[in-house]
Amino acid sequence: MLVLDLADVHDRPSFMDRCTADLRLPDWFCRNWDSLADCLTDLSWWPAEPGGRRLRVRNWHGYAAARPREWRIFKDVLRDAEIFWRNTDTELVVGWEDGQDSGGDRGDRGDSGGGAPGGPPAQ
């Protein structure tokens, strides 16, 4: 499982840097939305685990609030990647950790307002 932690990410350059580091994206990742989509539909750089690939996104609220248009693009990229890998032996499943309630992070699995499948509410 990979974890994308968006704490203290408030603009696209820092978002792309965080994706590069946390997801260990390949050298050909060009730090733009199309390239991120390409990486998530060509997962040759991410060895499959039993049951598929799991990506957790945590501490996403700050970025979603600071960059709502970019946040929508990111959710679309993740949704498209999940659909691309659905019903395969190497399925990609994205999970969201809220992290805003006082009890700490919790998994947020229902589609509650237009995010990626199983994603966060639309921001």
Side-chain angles (χ1 to χ4, degrees):
M1 176 172 60
L2 294 177
V3 176
L4 177 61
D5 188 344
L6 297 178
D8 301 319
V9 172
H10 300 288
D11 60 21
R12 189 171 53 159
S14 61
F15 175 85
M16 294 296 175
D17 288 345
R18 187 67 56 89
C19 284
T20 301
D22 285 3
L23 303 181
R24 301 182 297 270
L25 294 174
D27 291 339
W28 53 265
F29 175 58
C30 297
R31 291 178 166 75
N32 63 52
W33 298 117
D34 287 338
S35 187
L36 182 60
D38 290 345
C39 286
L40 293 175
T41 54
D42 172 3
L43 294 175
S44 59
W45 54 271
W46 181 2
E49 301 170 20
R53 295 172 175 97
R54 303 287 182 257
L55 170 61
R56 300 291 297 169
V57 181
R58 67 171 53 140
N59 298 313
W60 52 269
H61 288 277
Y63 183 70
R67 307 300 263 192
R69 180 180 174 277
E70 292 175 9
W71 179 246
R72 285 190 300 274
I73 293 169
F74 176 56
K75 290 191 309 180
D76 288 347
V77 166
L78 290 180
R79 181 201 63 227
D80 291 349
E82 281 186 304
I83 291 168
F84 182 86
W85 291 104
R86 188 175 293 156
N87 300 321
T88 69
D89 292 339
T90 56
E91 184 174 33
L92 172 64
V93 176
V94 178
W96 305 87
E97 293 182 12
D98 188 338
Q100 284 203 335
D101 53 8
S102 59
D105 288 348
R106 64 175 173 77
D108 210 0
R109 290 300 306 157
D111 183 13
S112 50
Q123 292 285 320

